[in-house]
Amino acid sequence: MHMHEATGLHSQAEGDAATELFGSFYLGDDEFALPASCIREVVNYPAKVTALPLAPAYLEGMFTLRGSVIPVVNLGRLFRADAPRAVDTDKIAILDFQQVLVGIVFQDTGEILRVPASRRSALHYAAGDSHAVIAGTILLDGGARLLQILDPHALLRIENVPHVLALQASGAKLGTARYHAQTDRRQCVSFHAAGATFAFEMLAIQEIIKVPELHSSILNSELCLGRMHFRGSQVAVVDFAALLQAAEPGKAATPEQRIIVVRLEDTTIGFLVDSVDSIVHFFGDEVLPIPLLSKARAAMFAGCITKEGLGDIIFLDHQQILSQGEIVEMRDGHKRLYPAETETAAGTHKAQRRVYITFTVETQFAVEIGQVREIIDFSGAITTPPGMPSCMRGMLNLRQQMISIIDLRQLYAMPPLANTGAGKILIVERGAERYGFLVDHVDNIMTISDSQRFAAPQIIRTGTHDDLRSEMDEMIDIGTAEQRQTLSVFQCDHLLEKLGSALPQAA
């Protein structure tokens, strides 16, 4: 910030007890002033601003700055809806607004001004006047220079100040701990929808499935695309983009689309999303509060998680994503329409069930979700020191911890993957060591009953040594009577034992 204190004002300031300090800014040909007491700092426009759905048009998005999420307000669009969007040469004034930080976009910064009362005038408005954001004016240079004083409190309304302050206080308290206990670690699944990245906490998710055939019903609406047959029940499917008022009419379906099946109170709802990206681990104090400028579904935005390589992830409160009325309508409506099918599903949740990630390495496997720390995209940022075993792709620096990346295809003499760009890395940890298993792609997350898990046939377990399935001694059976599928249960311990001979550090 290059602001200069206005010259020629000191003598008048000294003679006027009501001198006040202002910072000046330029927006087009207009010059504005803000009380210096509310200006925390001025920064360049960030390289990455994350869009926030359901926000007013004048909100450019948000970015993180030293542990705070800063909403970026385009002042020009606040005054005029068709004003241009912000550009990377703009500046952002960070304001301290009711102990919540907010960024205001300007085209350039001006000076720090000491302004006596004799040069300031206050403006008064009728109730509800939209121009009330201008609190007054400053006249300088004999009246030749006019600055409009902005009133920060009239400018913005932060809808969730108590939530932001509570989360800030909680984060500060947790942040005093020297280390995180492993029991404090949580997991979420990130996904893409409406041009942004979101996440549901793992405990909220029943399964993630490919998009099945959706059946229309009289309950179809702007939100509800239809219903799907899921474990003996009829489950409503909600278009997540429509929920965010960002649906594109006529948008074609893609193979990457998934339905995330979420349990909301006593109701199961499916959310259609563009893609499911990663499993991300986090701690409670890493959830940063998002100051919201809109009331629309505000309760569903629990905060923001920022991870190196993943950017800003909007963390959702699954219990608040739909209103009670919407949940009841979808639940009771389908129950009335399809009572027989719903009743046949009674008791299906009573059996002991476990959550699995299914993935492919030539053939499909399933791994219990508790064995995987997180899932990341295959990255070109892997370094390969000389003398490494052929099965080892190299080392990856993931958030200041080195991870050995194992190519499972190479380890089991399979042909190399043609397109590694679609590959995923399953991060597992044993003690202080972390390993990444490179797989072709991750398919789904599903909940499987223990009754569907059985010992692998002897012929598979005594197969060729270079068959990945021969390392696994259990299988699961999924699907329906018409379309069954059997998957080997991937057990990380078995694989790490095999790696002991190939990798000295794994011993």
Side-chain angles (χ1 to χ4, degrees):
M1 176 180 180
H2 298 290
M3 283 189 160
H4 310 286
E5 187 168 308
T7 56
L9 296 176
H10 293 284
S11 57
Q12 289 150 321
E14 288 164 6
D16 193 326
T19 295
E20 191 174 346
L21 215 57
F22 290 87
S24 72
F25 303 86
Y26 291 93
L27 189 65
D29 296 328
D30 295 322
E31 190 173 9
F32 294 91
L34 279 162
S37 59
C38 74
I39 302 173
R40 179 73 67 89
E41 62 183 305
V42 175
V43 298
N44 292 325
Y45 199 82
K48 172 67 174 171
V49 172
T50 302
L52 189 62
L54 298 173
Y58 57 79
L59 187 76
E60 291 285 343
M62 64 181 189
F63 73 104
T64 52
L65 179 69
R66 292 190 293 278
S68 293
V69 176
I70 314 289
V72 180
V73 174
N74 185 326
L75 189 63
R77 291 176 69 86
L78 187 65
F79 291 143
R80 201 181 77 242
D82 62 347
R85 310 288 319 189
V87 295
D88 57 9
T89 55
D90 286 340
K91 306 288 185 184
I92 297 179
I94 309 295
L95 306 187
D96 192 335
F97 179 82
Q98 298 175 339
Q99 301 178 60
V100 176
L101 300 184
V102 178
I104 307 291
V105 175
F106 291 94
Q107 286 166 350
D108 205 359
T109 56
E111 306 164 285
I112 295 294
L113 303 166
R114 289 186 184 278
V115 183
S118 60
R119 297 193 180 188
R120 305 193 307 266
S121 61
L123 298 178
H124 303 280
Y125 301 91
D129 192 321
S130 62
H131 293 88
V133 295
I134 307 298
T137 60
I138 298 172
L139 277 177
L140 299 176
D141 301 340
R145 183 180 175 193
L146 173 70
L147 292 84
Q148 301 171 75
I149 302 172
L150 294 173
D151 179 354
H153 295 280
L155 197 65
L156 300 169
R157 175 177 171 81
I158 307 296
E159 298 293 342
N160 61 336
V161 168
H163 170 76
V164 172
L165 297 181
L167 216 49
Q168 284 176 347
S170 173
K173 184 178 179 181
L174 287 170
T176 58
R178 287 175 179 252
Y179 61 90
H180 290 110
Q182 286 296 98
T183 53
D184 295 335
R185 192 174 74 189
R186 295 154 67 184
Q187 285 182 314
C188 61
V189 174
S190 68
F191 62 92
H192 206 72
T197 304
F198 301 87
F200 280 124
E201 189 151 13
M202 185 68 75
L203 58 82
I205 297 174
Q206 274 191 264
E207 294 191 20
I208 297 176
I209 60 175
K210 292 182 178 179
V211 183
E213 181 183 0
L214 298 182
H215 305 281
S216 183
S217 81
I218 60 173
L219 294 177
N220 282 25
S221 64
E222 185 180 332
L223 282 184
C224 185
L225 291 173
R227 57 188 173 87
M228 66 177 182
H229 188 75
F230 178 75
R231 298 197 179 282
S233 298
Q234 295 296 324
V235 171
V237 176
V238 170
D239 183 347
F240 198 83
L243 187 78
L244 302 172
Q245 299 177 11
E248 300 174 35
K251 181 180 177 181
T254 66
E256 291 76 31
Q257 284 186 322
R258 293 289 185 272
I259 290 180
I260 303 177
V261 183
V262 176
R263 190 77 175 163
L264 304 178
E265 298 179 358
D266 58 348
T267 307
T268 300
I269 303 285
F271 292 98
L272 175 68
V273 302
D274 292 340
S275 65
V276 172
D277 303 324
S278 300
I279 292 178
V280 181
H281 80 97
F282 68 100
F283 294 94
D285 59 331
E286 293 181 297
V287 181
L288 305 176
I290 303 173
L292 298 173
L293 280 69
S294 169
K295 290 182 179 178
R297 298 192 187 274
M300 79 183 219
F301 298 107
C304 175
I305 299 172
T306 300
K307 291 284 186 179
E308 182 184 340
L310 299 176
D312 294 335
I313 300 170
I314 300 169
F315 183 55
L316 301 169
D317 181 345
H318 62 282
Q319 296 289 7
Q320 303 291 335
I321 196 165
L322 293 171
S323 71
Q324 185 64 31
E326 289 167 332
I327 293 172
V328 168
E329 181 182 354
M330 292 181 193
R331 178 193 65 202
D332 293 354
H334 282 104
K335 194 175 287 186
R336 286 193 302 271
L337 285 169
Y338 313 103
E341 295 183 19
T342 303
E343 285 162 15
T344 60
T348 56
H349 295 287
K350 293 179 182 177
Q352 181 66 38
R353 308 179 73 84
R354 305 188 205 193
V355 180
Y356 293 84
I357 302 166
T358 64
F359 63 92
T360 299
V361 183
E362 195 83 359
T363 58
Q364 272 201 310
F365 294 85
V367 60
E368 275 193 68
I369 205 158
Q371 294 196 33
V372 178
R373 176 184 170 89
E374 61 185 301
I375 297 175
I376 61 174
D377 291 329
F378 179 71
S379 165
I382 295 173
T383 57
T384 309
M388 299 190 87
S390 59
C391 66
M392 192 166 169
R393 272 296 179 113
M395 304 295 292
L396 174 67
N397 186 338
L398 183 67
R399 296 185 284 279
Q400 282 70 59
Q401 185 152 13
M402 298 307 294
I403 296 174
S404 306
I405 306 300
I406 311 302
D407 187 334
L408 293 178
R409 281 180 166 268
Q410 183 69 39
L411 182 64
Y412 288 93
M414 300 179 195
L417 188 61
N419 177 22
T420 54
K424 294 281 189 179
I425 297 175
L426 276 56
I427 307 294
V428 302
E429 59 186 359
R430 288 298 176 271
E433 295 289 337
R434 286 186 193 165
Y435 302 91
F437 296 130
L438 175 60
V439 303
D440 301 359
H441 49 83
V442 171
D443 302 309
N444 294 316
I445 294 177
M446 58 180 59
T447 307
I448 302 295
S449 169
D450 276 358
S451 63
Q452 295 168 275
R453 183 166 173 158
F454 57 92
Q458 193 67 21
I459 192 170
I460 291 179
R461 293 159 69 179
T462 56
T464 62
H465 185 66
D466 285 334
D467 187 338
L468 178 55
R469 290 175 300 174
S470 68
E471 302 287 340
M472 311 307 162
D473 51 21
E474 287 188 304
M475 307 189 83
I476 55 174
D477 189 37
I478 61 174
T480 61
E482 296 79 25
Q483 187 177 4
R484 304 208 71 78
Q485 193 175 12
T486 303
L487 302 135
S488 293
V489 177
F490 188 83
Q491 287 151 320
C492 297
D493 287 339
H494 289 9
L495 203 56
L496 292 173
E497 286 170 16
K498 179 180 177 66
L499 285 170
S501 58
L503 303 176
Q505 64 267 39

